[in-house]
Amino acid sequence: MDVEEFIKGIPKAELHLHIEGTFEPELMFEIASRNHKEIKYNSVEELKKAYRFNNLQEFLDIYYEGANVLVNEQDFYDLTWAYLTKVHEQNVVHVEIFFDPQTHTDRGIPFDTVITGIYKALEEGQSKYGISFKLIMSFLRHLSEEAAFKTLEQALPYKKWISGVGLDSSELGNPPSKFERVFEKARSEGFITVAHAGEEGPAEYIWEALNLLKVTRIDHGNRCLDDINLVKQLAKKQIPLTVCPLSNLELKVVDDLRNHPILKMMDNNLLVTVNSDDPAYFGGYMNENYIEIAKALHLSKKDITQLVINSFKASWLPDPEKEKIITQIEIYFQNN
Ligand code: ADE
Ligand code: ZN
């Protein structure tokens, strides 16, 4: 079997996925229509043409605009269900997904509406598709510390549903240190912590995420390679990096996938994983991310297997479940 077929068939985990970033234009128009909401573009084709970004901020402006048509619990359910259906077809068996409550609560949508819609779909995905899941609530870092505290307060009644908290949105000028106290409170409430760092921001932001926010995983982390001591620390502690190849290409974090640092990261013994970030906007879900990076860097089946195993190691699944799936993956590698 060739590498592409190998990628399609291997059981995978996704650890860096924004549910709002899975909003396909077709579904967006459908939901906008039933909610009597305007979209700035006249057609799916016109909307897709707007998906050309020079940096993170240009993407975020369009991404937040798209999310504006989500109003009812059913909308959040449909969005999440569409994602699960898609990745089930791609042999994804475990997902750890972000949601951005502030994108919705700031428009007057109740926190309960958002999380209940998403959670019901995740439960359905578990029972119908066998996809296990964790939910991560992400704070928008361009908003204030006070707003993050308010969001954390709103999340407390739903603690059983939320495994961790994260930090996303406009990175430059919004360092992790801005959220040190909120993350301290989140940890004291039992949440695991992660943060986007080193996507556009400097290696220093990765240090801050580790030392001040005490994160157990770094989302992206590309810029760690600028600092040899940081690389050593990440390797020593085996802090996972949730890398997103097509996102990096579309947001100009890398100029060409052939120059993507993922192999260099692996060579430095970093626990790197492959993820899709915002697949509806960046041209691909999990399989496409693996296939495109494999093509660009001539990854072998062994490399692919290592990346997939890394994802399960880096996941928040209980150890016995990790061991079970890793054994299955090793058998898949031997047979294919
Ligand atoms: N929100 C959604 N996708 C994001 C990304 N790649 N970086 C920061 N915030 C995001
Ligand atoms: Zn992201």
Side-chain angles (χ1 to χ4, degrees):
M1 135 184 336
D2 66 14
V3 172
E4 202 168 312
E5 290 307 308
F6 183 83
I7 287 169
K8 288 179 182 167
I10 199 166
K12 290 166 286 283
E14 167 131 85
L15 307 179
H16 183 161
L17 180 282
H18 303 265
I19 198 63
E20 294 87 351
T22 68
F23 207 0
E24 290 289 346
E26 291 79 5
L27 185 61
M28 196 183 289
F29 272 90
E30 190 186 317
I31 290 182
S33 158
R34 74 187 186 207
N35 289 340
H36 311 289
K37 291 267 182 189
E38 285 271 326
I39 295 186
K40 253 181 30 187
Y41 305 90
N42 289 316
S43 65
V44 164
E45 292 68 36
E46 215 179 281
L47 177 59
K48 281 185 181 166
K49 275 197 197 133
Y51 291 0
R52 281 173 215 279
F53 316 110
N54 291 305
N55 53 45
L56 174 59
Q57 193 58 52
E58 286 187 11
F59 155 69
L60 290 170
D61 292 343
I62 284 206
Y63 160 87
Y64 293 131
E65 202 177 290
N68 279 340
V69 307
L70 297 162
V71 176
N72 302 305
E73 185 185 306
Q74 187 68 42
D75 305 337
F76 292 93
Y77 178 93
D78 290 349
L79 175 71
T80 310
W81 187 249
Y83 164 69
L84 292 168
T85 301
K86 179 78 190 175
V87 295
H88 175 58
E89 289 163 6
Q90 298 200 344
N91 283 321
V92 173
V93 298
H94 178 69
V95 297
E96 300 186 359
I97 71 168
F98 294 112
F99 74 117
D100 288 343
Q102 289 159 293
T103 300
H104 315 294
T105 52
D106 279 7
R107 301 181 286 115
I109 311 296
F111 189 97
D112 179 75
T113 300
V114 179
I115 194 166
T116 305
I118 295 170
Y119 200 81
K120 279 186 182 168
L122 287 168
E123 282 194 311
E124 180 93 16
Q126 168 95 63
S127 62
K128 201 164 165 196
Y129 296 143
I131 299 178
S132 51
F133 67 88
K134 304 282 176 191
L135 190 52
I136 311 170
M137 178 179 83
S138 205
F139 299 112
L140 298 182
R141 70 203 302 159
H142 68 276
L143 300 178
S144 67
E145 181 199 36
E146 190 192 350
F149 266 116
K150 202 173 139 212
T151 303
L152 182 57
E153 211 54 50
Q154 288 176 311
L156 294 182
Y158 302 92
K159 231 172 165 177
K160 269 209 224 138
W161 288 359
I162 305 171
S163 303
V165 301
L167 188 63
D168 64 6
S169 192
S170 323
E171 187 179 11
L172 287 169
N174 295 299
S177 54
K178 182 175 164 185
F179 298 94
E180 185 176 357
R181 293 187 296 186
V182 187
F183 270 62
E184 191 183 342
K185 166 90 170 139
R187 289 195 314 277
S188 77
E189 293 287 351
F191 295 104
I192 309 172
T193 59
V194 297
H196 284 54
E199 181 184 18
E200 284 188 344
E204 181 54 30
Y205 284 17
I206 302 176
W207 279 118
E208 283 190 13
L210 294 172
N211 295 334
L212 306 182
L213 307 187
K214 320 261 187 237
V215 299
T216 57
R217 229 160 49 195
I218 296 286
D219 296 309
H220 295 294
N222 298 49
R223 296 284 301 276
C224 74
L225 294 167
D226 298 345
D227 180 340
I228 183 65
N229 289 325
L230 178 56
V231 171
K232 281 185 190 158
Q233 175 82 349
L234 292 167
K236 186 173 148 213
K237 295 244 163 105
Q238 287 292 282
I239 303 280
L241 303 181
T242 62
V243 171
C244 307
L246 290 176
S247 165
N248 291 162
L249 182 67
E250 293 303 313
L251 300 185
K252 310 285 189 284
V253 170
V254 296
D255 62 352
D256 191 308
L257 281 186
R258 285 172 296 188
N259 299 325
H260 195 283
I262 200 163
L263 262 185
K264 194 168 169 202
M265 290 168 161
M266 289 173 85
D267 289 344
N268 277 284
N269 195 31
L270 295 173
L271 193 71
V272 282
T273 65
V274 170
N275 308 275
S276 73
D277 205 6
D278 302 284
Y281 293 89
F282 302 146
Y285 288 75
M286 286 292 277
N287 283 351
E288 291 79 13
N289 270 275
Y290 272 103
I291 290 167
E292 291 309 314
I293 198 69
K295 270 197 222 156
L297 298 175
H298 308 289
L299 300 185
S300 64
K301 291 180 188 175
K302 192 155 183 270
D303 296 327
I304 304 292
T305 304
Q306 184 62 58
L307 286 165
V308 169
I309 289 175
N310 285 355
S311 295
F312 287 99
K313 277 191 188 161
S315 76
W316 297 339
L317 283 167
D319 283 342
E321 283 183 45
K322 285 188 190 184
E323 283 159 24
K324 197 170 134 204
I325 185 81
I326 290 171
T327 303
Q328 284 171 14
I329 291 163
E330 282 164 350
I331 292 169
Y332 178 89
F333 173 65
Q334 279 153 18
N335 292 340
N336 292 286

